[in-house]
Structure formats: C-alpha cells, structure tokens
Amino acid sequence: MRAPGLPYVPGIEAAGRIRALTDGRGSDVAIDPVGGAARRTSLDALARGGRLIAMGNASGADDVPFSANELWFSGKGVLGFNLGALSGERPEAVSGVLRQAVGAVLDGELRVDVGEVLPLREAAEAHRRIESGRTTGKLVPAMERE
C-alpha cells in the first residue's frame, strides 16, 4: 500500500533513482520488508538523518550488518518493527490501527498494489512465483465462479 503522491521505487538500483528524484538528497524514510541486498540499498538511499524501518525478510536472505560507526557518520538510523510481536503485546492498539488502514483503503486514500490475480486452482504456481522473488505488488488468489 502507499499513499497517493509518494514514490515507490523498487529494485536494487533504487538508491540512485531515489537520489535523482530528490535532487541528490535521498529519502527521509525507507520501509524495507524484503531484507538482504534490498536492506543495504534502502540504507544507501537515505538522506542524512533518514530512518530505515526493517519490518521483514521476505527475501529469506542472510542479514545485512551495519556498523554503528557507519550509522553515526552518516547520521542515519535503523529501526525494527515487528507487527506480530506488537499484536501479541498490544492487540488493542493494533486492531484500532488496522481498522483505520482498512478504512483508508475502502475510502480510496490508500491503494493496494495488486500485481496479478490467479485462480485459486493455480495456488502452487502462485507460491512458486512468490518464492522466486519475481513478483511485484500483491499476488491475489481468486475464487472461481461455477
């Protein structure tokens, strides 16, 4: 999901594209659910004072370490966000925000990027595509009408 007007720049070459979009400055915030090489790219795309939010490892790749000195010298920060852990500790907070997010999607304030819809009978193919890392947006299974 993304709010209208906010650029979404996927891919390993994203740091250069983001710098071009921001006149060389970089972004203030990067949210990375992918991990691996994408996490490094996200950090590199940040402006001084920018914050990287690590919230998943969809790639299944090994962790990408950052040195404290690298963060200090660049003035960047890395934060972790784990929705599963937060849901277990503060379900009332998560349920309220979830209702707001669903409402924003229903009202058209946020758009869910659906990359592809496959019939439910092709669930195995959907899993292969997701596991290969070649999908963008959501891959949605669809029930077929008889």
Side-chain angles (χ1 to χ4, degrees):
M1 292 189 295
R2 69 173 181 252
L6 294 178
Y8 168 68
V9 184
I12 299 303
E13 64 282 343
R17 291 172 56 204
I18 288 171
R19 293 228 176 263
L21 286 169
T22 60
D23 294 324
R25 184 176 172 278
S27 65
D28 294 319
V29 176
I31 301 171
D32 176 29
V34 178
R39 186 142 305 147
R40 166 50 67 186
T41 298
S42 296
L43 185 71
D44 292 344
L46 291 174
R48 183 168 303 283
R51 299 292 179 256
L52 167 60
I53 301 170
M55 57 174 289
N57 190 29
S59 68
D62 290 338
D63 192 20
V64 176
F66 308 117
S67 79
N69 280 348
E70 175 185 4
L71 298 175
W72 169 44
F73 289 131
S74 68
K76 299 175 183 178
V78 178
L79 307 167
F81 178 74
N82 184 322
L83 183 59
L86 183 61
S87 297
E89 293 172 12
R90 299 190 48 214
E92 70 290 343
V94 173
S95 65
V97 173
L98 179 58
R99 279 193 261 294
Q100 288 178 337
V102 170
V105 170
L106 293 174
D107 292 343
E109 295 173 41
L110 287 177
R111 182 176 62 85
V112 177
D113 186 14
V114 177
E116 188 173 4
V117 177
L118 286 177
L120 189 56
R121 63 181 152 70
E122 295 183 33
E125 175 60 21
H127 280 277
R128 277 191 289 279
R129 291 182 190 183
I130 292 168
E131 290 170 3
S132 75
R134 291 178 292 151
T135 59
T136 59
K138 302 296 179 197
L139 197 156
V140 178
M143 298 293 293
E144 298 175 83
R145 298 190 185 262
E146 295 180 22

